[in-house]
Amino acid sequence: MLSRISSAWRVVFCSLVAAAVLPLAARTAAAQDAIPAQVAELLRSKVCLGCHQVDTPRVGPPFLAVAQRYGSQPEALDYLVQSIRNGGRYRWGKLSMAAQPQVSADEARLIAQWILTLAPASTPAASATPTETATPPASAAAPAAPASASKP
């Protein structure tokens, strides 16, 4: 009797685990498939995927979270390139990212550009050009005179 109950609970437990994990695995696999081939090869060959995934936390933050955090910052691309190459401490909790000297500046730039494409479309840095995000000139900031006041 005990062995039947144990095996029944094992089946239930395995079914629940499978029901919870399979959708996550499918979503992550779909996100991984959306990576451009050149970037995907860099992420694999430079072992980025050992610590990061597209949309799932691992040792480091998911690339999507990085894009959401830094995507609206004007100097995000240069900042991410430097972070990839030089590493960083305590930006995402207690763990630090080790420097990645095996990643060239051009490779880091390509990876960082791709990461920033994951930022939400409403993010100003993702949709605006640098001149659009700059402070408008004083003449543009001044309110326009009412139409009736400008007529003689």
Side-chain angles (χ1 to χ4, degrees), residues 92-152:
W92 294 90
K94 293 181 180 181
L95 294 176
S96 299
M97 180 172 163
Q100 305 297 315
Q102 78 279 9
V103 180
S104 72
D106 290 338
E107 292 169 335
R109 182 166 296 280
L110 187 61
I111 293 168
Q113 286 172 333
W114 170 75
I115 290 171
L116 291 173
T117 66
L118 301 174
S122 62
T123 303
S127 60
T129 62
T131 57
E132 290 174 329
T133 57
T135 305
S139 62
S148 60
S150 64
K151 291 182 181 178

Side-chain angles (χ1 to χ4, degrees), residues 74-107:
E75 300 297 321
L77 181 62
D78 292 332
Y79 177 79
L80 290 177
V81 168
Q82 291 304 313
S83 293
I84 292 167
R85 302 225 35 228
N86 301 327
R89 296 181 61 177
Y90 309 120
R91 294 179 189 152
W92 294 90
K94 293 181 180 181
L95 294 176
S96 299
M97 180 172 163
Q100 305 297 315
Q102 78 279 9
V103 180
S104 72
D106 290 338
E107 292 169 335

